[in-house]
Amino acid sequence: QTLYNLGARRIIVTGVGPIGCIPYQLTLNLRRDGNCVPSANKLALDYNSALGDLILELNSKLPGSMFSYANAYNVVCDVITN
């Protein structure tokens, strides 16, 4: 909203990636098999869902604004799998 107040009207907001797949989480949770930590990834998905709702709210609340959501979670998952 601060960017909007400064005059920005087109803003891209990026969600978080699969944090359960980062080396820190794998080490912290003793995942030696290389599989991601499901509980950490669920937190990321829940956050991204709430962020999407917030973006919809901001678009309807701030006249002339165009907030867009960039889905980093799926992009990073695709990179990991491929």
Side-chain angles (χ1 to χ4, degrees), residues 21-32:
C21 301
I22 63 174
Y24 175 76
Q25 283 293 321
L26 298 176
T27 302
L28 184 68
N29 290 280
L30 304 173
R31 299 300 294 243
R32 300 197 196 309

Side-chain angles (χ1 to χ4, degrees), residues 14 17 20 29 34 36 39 46 51 60 68 72 77 79 82:
T14 304
N29 290 280
C36 300
S39 58
D46 290 347
L51 182 61
S60 66
S68 298
C77 281
V79 168
N82 296 309

